Amino acid sequence: MTVDAVGDIAREALYLIIKVSLPVLLVSLIIGLIISIFQTVTSIQEQTLTFVPKIICVFLALILFGQWMMNSMVEFMVRLWSSFSLYVHQ
């Protein structure tokens, strides 16, 4: 296994991590921004107000995108394990 192959696997894995985590992080970011705007407009400065809506929306995002996320990770692992013989030198 060469250094280039390791670099390619690491690059692909990092890209997959970003791609898979992006929907949940975007939902959390958008909900946090909406709640912050609501708090600013209404002058409510309760710090714990953001937690429950964020948790609910993140769970909903996981329900909606979970199958796609899992399929993406499984496909990557199947590709990695199926080409395992190419990485092992005798």
Side-chain angles (χ1 to χ4, degrees):
M1 179 174 230
T2 65
V3 175
D4 293 333
V6 173
D8 288 341
I9 293 170
R11 180 183 43 77
E12 191 176 351
L14 288 174
Y15 176 71
L16 179 68
I17 290 168
I18 292 169
K19 185 175 79 169
V20 166
S21 65
L22 193 61
V24 175
L25 292 176
L26 282 177
V27 166
S28 178
L29 176 72
I30 291 169
I31 296 301
L33 183 63
I34 291 170
I35 292 172
S36 294
I37 291 171
F38 174 76
Q39 284 181 323
T40 302
V41 169
T42 60
S43 298
I44 298 174
Q45 296 303 320
E46 179 62 33
Q47 296 297 322
T48 60
L49 183 65
T50 61
F51 292 124
V52 173
K54 272 188 183 180
I55 289 172
I56 291 170
C57 290
V58 165
F59 282 144
L60 288 174
L62 285 173
I63 290 170
L64 289 175
F65 296 109
Q67 184 177 2
W68 169 77
M69 294 164 71
M70 188 59 72
N71 285 338
S72 297
M73 291 185 285
V74 167
E75 286 174 10
F76 175 72
M77 287 308 297
V78 166
R79 268 186 291 138
L80 191 63
W81 283 103
S82 64
S83 59
F84 188 72
S85 63
L86 299 174
Y87 305 135
V88 179
H89 289 291
Q90 296 174 353

